[in-house]
Amino acid sequence: DTAVSQTPKYLVTQMGNDKSIKCEQNLGHDTMYWYKQDSKKFLKIMFSYNNKELIINETVPNRFSPKSPDKAHLNLHINSLELGDSAVYFCASSPGPERTSYNEQFFGPGTRLTVL
Amino acid sequence: GNSVTQMEGPVTLSEEAFLTINCTYTATGYPSLFWYVQYPGEGLQLLLKATKADDKGSNKGFEATYRKETTSFHLEKGSVQVSDSAVYFCALMTWPGNTPLVFGKGTRLSVIA
């Protein structure tokens, strides 16, 4: 069974469109994340949710809106897509703040977004 | 703030060569340290980890030792294989246990037969 899954794997769209990426984890984790990997492979945190509540929101344009309907899902909606949004977006999850002194993060396979 | 610095790539080695990828960090408190690997076209996989000073993480022949005195976590492998070709990321995480990972810029390794 896939631990952290994302859909779609590839997303090609036109500038100005609105799109969503979905993420689901079946590990029973409390915390979920969205990371962005740019064309130079640099990975950076975008958002973090703990038990459906937003806990970290880095300096991301407000065109990006995460939504967590329950603690197993964290979706990313992007409005008015721009060329610079082209990247690979990774979802991840970890047990939560209280479980152990550190928590391994499990990553999804990534969604490659291409904006034309 | 927290940061991770990795040696710039790409690194090209012949099969069975010795590998070292340097990683140093800056962090408040006592971070946990990780190496992640990204094979071509795939997501990130945890390769190894260390949670306190002098811990050695190891997996698949790779090793890294948490050196607090030099704030380093260098990745080593004694004999690389073609199948080790990938991008390697050094990362850290601080308390509490669900803070996001801070990644280095990644080092691309190519191993040729």
Side-chain angles (χ1 to χ4, degrees), chain A:
Chain A
D1 280 342
T2 303
V4 182
S5 59
Q6 293 179 230
T7 54
K9 190 169 171 66
Y10 300 97
L11 184 53
V12 181
T13 188
Q14 299 286 334
M15 239 179 3
N17 284 350
D18 303 338
K19 290 293 179 186
S20 292
I21 307 171
K22 295 186 176 182
C23 178
E24 177 181 2
Q25 54 95 2
N26 62 5
L27 297 167
H29 288 168
D30 289 335
T31 307
M32 296 184 73
Y33 313 80
W34 278 111
Y35 290 87
K36 180 179 179 180
Q37 185 175 44
D38 64 22
S39 59
K40 296 184 178 180
K41 296 289 189 182
F42 186 54
L43 277 152
K44 191 171 180 193
I45 185 68
M46 298 174 71
F47 301 102
S48 172
Y49 270 71
N50 187 65
N51 216 358
K52 302 192 296 175
E53 290 191 16
L54 180 67
I55 54 173
I56 287 178
N57 181 351
E58 290 296 310
T59 50
V60 177
N62 58 14
R63 298 182 295 103
F64 289 79
S65 52
K67 285 187 173 51
S68 183
D70 55 63
K71 73 175 192 179
H73 295 84
L74 180 61
N75 304 323
L76 183 64
H77 188 75
I78 316 170
N79 289 326
S80 304
L81 277 156
E82 300 177 356
L83 293 176
D85 298 332
S86 296
V88 181
Y89 293 86
F90 285 101
C91 178
S93 73
S94 67
E98 297 89 15
R99 302 285 187 97
T100 60
S101 60
Y102 89 95
N103 288 299
E104 177 183 340
Q105 292 186 19
F106 293 80
F107 283 79
T111 296
R112 182 176 294 276
L113 171 65
T114 303
V115 183
L116 303 175

Side-chain angles (χ1 to χ4, degrees), chain B residues 6 11 13 16-22 34-39 45-50 55-66 73-89 107-111:
Chain B
Q6 281 180 245
V11 174
L13 295 174
E16 299 184 3
F18 185 85
L19 169 71
T20 300
I21 301 178
N22 290 338
F34 305 83
W35 277 100
Y36 279 82
V37 58
Q38 185 176 26
Y39 297 103
Q45 301 174 28
L46 179 66
L47 181 60
L48 52 85
K49 60 185 183 285
D55 268 2
K56 178 187 280 188
S58 60
N59 186 24
K60 299 181 182 180
F62 291 89
E63 292 183 341
T65 301
Y66 188 161
F73 193 54
H74 305 321
L75 182 68
E76 296 182 338
K77 186 174 185 182
S79 176
V80 293
Q81 305 300 313
V82 172
S83 57
D84 294 326
S85 297
V87 181
Y88 293 82
F89 294 92
T107 302
R108 182 180 299 278
L109 169 66
S110 296
V111 181

